[in-house]
């Protein structure tokens, strides 16, 4: 037997899509509730086990009762978790953006003397760099956050 497109009317397609959407929505809600049960730090293990058994064994009634009894706090717990994740992410970004620590004066002088001994810099350049290291007037390793980088272009004459 061959089915044609007109054997499945448009209203049936609508109802099928609606039921499929509700089915997916149901599983999303079920998994969010199960996640919330484990996320709640105020509940002890027996309470978590009881709610979990209630939600799994009697899913429709368990989800309905859970949303009525603890639905308001679900949002608060989710917001607090999102804020904690944002704080951790911001701390990671600050730590990563800070870069490596600034080398000590002794390390800088050692590096400068190696450059001079290899012939990469002249005695005059070594003296100027040594004076900068000893007076600690070195430029910062990285610009402060939010400041645009300065180009290494020499100024043009006449401007």
């Amino acid at each position: 037997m061959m089915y044609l497109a007109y054997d499945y009317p448009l209203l049936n397609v609508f109802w099928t899509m609606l039921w499929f959407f509700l089915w997916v929505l149901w599983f999303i809600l079920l998994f969010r509730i199960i996640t919330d049960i484990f996320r709640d730090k105020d509940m002890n293990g027996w309470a978590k086990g009881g709610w979990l058994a209630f939600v799994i064994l009697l899913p429709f009634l368990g989800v309905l009762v859970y949303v009525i009894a603890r639905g308001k706090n679900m949002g608060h717990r989710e917001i607090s978790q999102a804020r904690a994740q944002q704080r951790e992410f911001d701390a990671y970004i600050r730590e990563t953006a800070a870069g490596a620590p600034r080398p000590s004066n002794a390390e800088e002088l050692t590096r400068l003397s190696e450059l001079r001994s290899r012939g990469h810099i002249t005695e005059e350049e070594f003296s100027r760099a040594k004076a900068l290291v000893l007076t600690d007037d070195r430029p910062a390793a990285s610009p402060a956050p939010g400041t645009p980088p300065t180009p290494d272009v020499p100024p043009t004459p006449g401007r």
Side-chain angles (χ1 to χ4, degrees):
M1 178 177 259
M2 189 165 131
Y3 290 103
L4 300 175
Y6 58 85
D7 289 338
Y8 200 68
L10 186 62
L11 189 60
N12 285 351
V13 171
F14 170 75
W15 284 113
T16 302
M17 288 183 355
L18 179 68
W19 281 111
F20 180 74
F21 172 74
L22 291 174
W23 182 73
V24 169
L25 189 65
W26 163 253
F27 277 107
I28 290 172
L29 180 64
L30 182 66
F31 288 128
R32 284 189 62 151
I33 287 175
I34 291 172
T35 302
D36 186 66
I37 289 171
F38 286 108
R39 180 185 297 153
D40 191 5
K41 293 180 177 85
D42 296 334
M43 275 197 290
N44 62 15
W46 288 104
K48 288 180 182 185
W51 275 112
L52 194 61
F54 190 40
V55 166
I56 290 175
L57 296 177
L58 298 170
F60 292 109
L61 183 63
V63 166
L64 181 66
V65 170
Y66 189 86
V67 168
I68 291 171
R70 301 179 51 84
K72 183 178 181 183
N73 292 332
M74 278 178 66
H76 295 303
R77 282 187 290 277
E78 190 166 341
I79 289 171
S80 66
Q81 182 191 17
R83 286 182 181 155
Q85 285 178 341
Q86 185 66 42
R87 280 192 303 271
E88 290 173 11
F89 180 72
D90 291 343
Y92 171 75
I93 293 296
R94 278 192 296 278
E95 176 184 315
T96 304
R102 193 172 182 179
S104 68
N105 288 347
E107 292 170 348
E108 284 287 325
L109 290 174
T110 304
R111 190 175 65 87
L112 283 172
S113 65
E114 287 175 5
L115 288 173
R116 182 184 60 177
S117 65
R118 291 184 190 152
H120 295 295
I121 60 173
T122 64
E123 187 66 37
E124 180 185 329
E125 292 170 332
F126 174 76
S127 298
R128 275 189 284 149
K130 180 180 172 184
L132 284 175
V133 169
L134 293 177
T135 59
D136 208 22
D137 287 340
R138 295 176 288 175
S142 62
T147 59
T150 56
D152 293 335
V153 179
T156 55
R159 284 194 182 174

